[in-house]
Amino acid sequence: MVTIALAQLKGVLFNKNLNVHRILATIQTCKEKNVDYVLFPELFLTGFFIQHEIEALAEPVDGESIRIIQEKVKETGVGTILGFAERYENRYYNSAVFIEKDGSIKGVYRKIHLFDKEKEFFTPGEEFPVFHTEVGNIALMMTFDVEFPEMSRIYAMHGVELIMVLNAHNVPYQPHQGIFLQARALENQVFMAATNKVGLEGSTLFFGESAVISPEGHFIEKGGNNEEIIIASIQLSDVYKVREEQLMKYLENRKGELYSKHGLV
Amino acid sequence: MVTIALAQLKGVLFNKNLNVHRILATIQTCKEKNVDYVLFPELFLTGFFIQHEIEALAEPVDGESIRIIQEKVKETGVGTILGFAERYENRYYNSAVFIEKDGSIKGVYRKIHLFDKEKEFFTPGEEFPVFHTEVGNIALMMTFDVEFPEMSRIYAMHGVELIMVLNAHNVPYQPHQGIFLQARALENQVFMAATNKVGLEGSTLFFGESAVISPEGHFIEKGGNNEEIIIASIQLSDVYKVREEQLMKYLENRKGELYSKHGLV
């Protein structure tokens, strides 16, 4: 079993110090609740609409904020997945760092499908990293990524059992979040766990409704529209039980050659 | 505008005569309601579980039953999409015929993703035909097909504006039908129209809940669990309005090369 926490929090725009403080406190809370991994929303370290402040706020994965958080992770043993603006090779990425329970950096995911104006500030990622942990295979994505079925499919084909989603989804897209999370879980027979932001940033209202969804498409947990920490214990190997027991063997029944022949990619 | 009817009917297993009679009566009803196209469920002509009777019940697309139906279509001007067991080049396919309003055969769709035991009786199709009509571009699929996001994506990339789905979906898969129809409509910004069977065949209970869904993922119409003819008028060019107005330009934002590089097909 792995116990995951979805840190459905607000965060303060442009204020990394306050957000780091909140992250450390949340990790402490998670330790008290025996959480293995805690997942924060997209760009939680800085707030979402950082735009022209990106140069001042972005940091490399070995930057100061993440080093402070690594220390707390090492102390508590609560693995942490955090959205931040990354400076890497003189470019900026909308990234998520995966900090293992021992405080080491397991890797970084750089958002592949940038939404609308995000393209003005960020470079799109090009990798689909899979994080092999002692509890199973985990991969990351963010908000708009979930709306492209190709991406979850690639992860499932690469052995991913749990897709963690760092969201920054605003009103009125609640149906999009719910439908797509369920569809991705169902069609790939994987667990989905998504943490969304809550509250206002400027005139944008983030709606929460963070969720953990089973490989059969059921909501195991679903948050409301305000701050909360949602905790769920799941068994990642259930993915194989579902694939074994159910007649809809999606990965086996794909027609890759046919899709290719008819121009899917 | 195009007015479509979903013929959410029961049908009688093994009895083509009775089913043809029902189809003709339904087409007549549709004419009185100014329907342009009527969509019947998967394998409606023969019933679903024909299995070892397939040799006796299958017919070629120019077989007797379909010729009778073509006459009725020609007389009424109600285009008809019908699921039937097809004999073609000494093989059997789980097919759907698209009969144009003038009674001509516009084409045949042969089910690509066969489910479980269907593989024992049918050969899988390998084509993704698009039917160009005077009201827009229409394509067909059946039940299990919808659960593979690749297929709807290929259709959308080929200019399809409305995907018609011939379903034979049974209890307890109501959530699958609803979630996948909404997801396919949303992620491709196309109309989905699905007719499901109702009632018992042996111990299998087909649940209806046929639906027409907008390119924004909204249910325009949704049926109950008993026989009914559901009628909806839609404007297929709304697909382009949605793609123009909304910020989530899914087809433009796909990363085909990246998907290919990472092994999608």
Side-chain angles (χ1 to χ4, degrees):
Chain A
M1 293 287 273
V2 54
T3 299
I4 57 175
L6 313 181
Q8 180 177 294
L9 304 176
K10 192 175 180 323
V12 184
L13 184 61
F14 302 137
N15 198 326
K16 285 206 280 190
N17 283 345
L18 272 177
N19 294 330
V20 166
H21 183 79
R22 194 74 194 278
I23 290 163
L24 301 182
T26 302
I27 292 172
Q28 184 60 40
T29 302
C30 286
K31 176 188 162 56
E32 287 153 20
K33 294 180 186 287
N34 296 313
V35 166
D36 295 295
Y37 293 100
V38 56
L39 175 67
F40 290 87
E42 183 175 356
L43 286 173
F44 186 75
L45 184 60
T46 56
F48 190 75
F49 292 109
I50 50 171
Q51 310 193 335
H52 298 289
E53 303 297 316
I54 197 167
E55 203 178 320
L57 292 167
E59 52 183 271
V61 73
D62 61 354
E64 195 189 350
S65 305
I66 292 174
R67 268 191 282 119
I68 294 168
I69 296 163
Q70 282 180 271
E71 282 308 307
K72 185 69 183 176
V73 171
K74 192 173 173 184
E75 173 200 326
T76 57
V78 178
T80 297
I81 296 93
L82 174 72
F84 75 112
E86 185 191 13
R87 192 170 62 241
Y88 176 70
E89 292 182 348
N90 291 319
R91 291 184 173 171
Y92 298 107
Y93 294 87
N94 184 347
S95 293
V97 60
F98 193 119
I99 307 173
E100 250 305 358
K101 295 169 160 209
D102 63 2
S104 65
I105 304 286
K106 200 156 178 84
V108 174
Y109 166 70
R110 302 187 174 105
K111 189 174 185 179
I112 288 173
H113 300 91
L114 296 172
F115 182 65
D116 194 41
K117 291 203 181 358
E118 287 172 41
K119 291 174 196 159
E120 297 172 21
F121 305 98
F122 293 112
T123 300
E126 300 197 332
E127 300 301 325
F128 294 73
V130 179
F131 302 105
H132 303 279
T133 74
E134 61 183 19
V135 297
N137 302 328
I138 302 174
L140 306 179
M141 50 170 65
M142 296 182 201
T143 320
F144 201 38
D145 286 327
V146 185
E147 312 195 359
F148 295 81
E150 293 89 345
M151 187 166 181
S152 300
R153 183 67 104 202
I154 287 170
Y155 278 147
M157 291 167 69
H158 291 182
V160 168
E161 295 145 3
L162 165 63
I163 300 176
M164 287 181 160
V165 189
L166 301 94
N167 270 349
H169 237 149
N170 57 280
V171 173
Y173 298 113
Q174 295 94 319
H176 286 64
Q177 180 168 292
I179 291 164
F180 282 132
L181 286 174
Q182 280 192 284
R184 300 304 167 242
L186 260 177
E187 72 203 9
N188 296 297
Q189 298 169 314
V190 296
F191 285 98
M192 302 289 294
T195 303
N196 194 20
K197 277 174 73 88
V198 285
L200 275 173
E201 256 194 45
S203 58
T204 299
L205 182 59
F206 296 102
F207 59 76
E209 300 187 10
S210 302
V212 180
I213 297 182
S214 78
E216 295 175 285
H218 302 144
F219 281 89
I220 296 170
E221 294 289 343
K222 185 175 179 187
N225 305 109
N226 214 327
E227 290 201 323
E228 62 184 299
I229 296 175
I230 298 152
I231 295 178
S233 293
I234 55 181
Q235 182 71 263
L236 297 199
S237 59
D238 282 356
V239 159
Y240 304 102
K241 214 162 75 180
V242 167
R243 291 177 190 173
E244 176 68 26
E245 286 171 5
Q246 297 212 344
L247 297 176
M248 41 281 280
K249 308 201 179 297
Y250 295 123
L251 294 175
E252 281 175 33
N253 279 291
R254 292 183 73 241
K255 306 270 187 178
E257 235 171 273
L258 215 55
Y259 305 151
S260 172
K261 186 181 159 196
H262 290 278
L264 181 64
V265 296
Chain B
M1 292 286 273
V2 55
T3 300
I4 57 176
L6 312 182
Q8 181 177 293
L9 305 176
K10 193 175 179 323
V12 183
L13 185 61
F14 301 137
N15 197 326
K16 283 206 280 189
N17 283 344
L18 271 179
N19 294 331
V20 167
H21 184 77
R22 194 74 194 279
I23 291 162
L24 302 181
T26 302
I27 293 173
Q28 184 61 39
T29 302
C30 286
K31 176 189 161 58
E32 286 152 21
K33 295 182 184 286
N34 295 313
V35 166
D36 294 295
Y37 294 99
V38 56
L39 175 67
F40 290 88
E42 183 174 356
L43 286 173
F44 186 75
L45 183 61
T46 56
F48 189 75
F49 292 109
I50 50 174
Q51 308 192 338
H52 297 290
E53 302 298 317
I54 196 165
E55 204 179 321
L57 291 168
E59 53 182 271
V61 73
D62 60 354
E64 193 190 351
S65 306
I66 292 174
R67 268 192 283 119
I68 294 169
I69 296 164
Q70 281 181 273
E71 282 308 309
K72 186 69 183 176
V73 172
K74 192 174 172 183
E75 173 201 326
T76 56
V78 178
T80 297
I81 296 92
L82 174 72
F84 75 112
E86 184 190 15
R87 191 170 63 241
Y88 174 71
E89 292 181 348
N90 292 319
R91 291 184 174 171
Y92 299 106
Y93 294 87
N94 184 347
S95 293
V97 60
F98 193 120
I99 307 173
E100 250 305 358
K101 295 171 161 208
D102 62 2
S104 65
I105 303 286
K106 202 158 177 80
V108 174
Y109 167 70
R110 301 189 173 104
K111 188 174 184 179
I112 288 173
H113 301 91
L114 296 172
F115 182 66
D116 195 42
K117 292 201 182 356
E118 287 172 41
K119 291 174 195 156
E120 296 172 21
F121 306 98
F122 294 111
T123 300
E126 300 196 332
E127 300 301 325
F128 293 72
V130 179
F131 302 106
H132 303 280
T133 75
E134 60 182 21
V135 297
N137 302 328
I138 301 174
L140 306 179
M141 49 171 65
M142 295 180 202
T143 319
F144 201 39
D145 286 328
V146 184
E147 312 196 359
F148 295 81
E150 294 89 346
M151 185 165 183
S152 300
R153 182 66 105 203
I154 287 170
Y155 278 147
M157 290 168 70
H158 291 183
V160 169
E161 296 145 3
L162 165 63
I163 300 176
M164 286 180 161
V165 189
L166 300 94
N167 270 351
H169 237 149
N170 57 281
V171 173
Y173 298 114
Q174 295 95 319
H176 286 66
Q177 179 168 292
I179 290 163
F180 282 133
L181 286 174
Q182 280 192 283
R184 300 304 168 242
L186 259 178
E187 72 204 9
N188 295 297
Q189 298 169 316
V190 296
F191 285 97
M192 302 290 293
T195 303
N196 194 20
K197 277 174 74 87
V198 285
L200 275 173
E201 256 194 43
S203 59
T204 299
L205 182 59
F206 297 101
F207 59 77
E209 302 188 7
S210 302
V212 181
I213 296 182
S214 79
E216 296 176 284
H218 302 144
F219 281 89
I220 296 169
E221 294 289 344
K222 184 174 178 189
N225 306 107
N226 213 326
E227 289 201 323
E228 62 183 302
I229 297 175
I230 297 152
I231 295 178
S233 293
I234 55 179
Q235 182 71 262
L236 297 199
S237 59
D238 282 356
V239 160
Y240 304 103
K241 215 161 76 181
V242 167
R243 291 177 190 175
E244 176 68 27
E245 286 170 3
Q246 295 210 346
L247 296 176
M248 39 281 282
K249 306 199 180 299
Y250 295 122
L251 294 175
E252 282 176 32
N253 279 291
R254 292 183 73 242
K255 307 268 188 180
E257 235 171 273
L258 214 55
Y259 303 151
S260 172
K261 186 180 159 196
H262 291 277
L264 181 63
V265 296

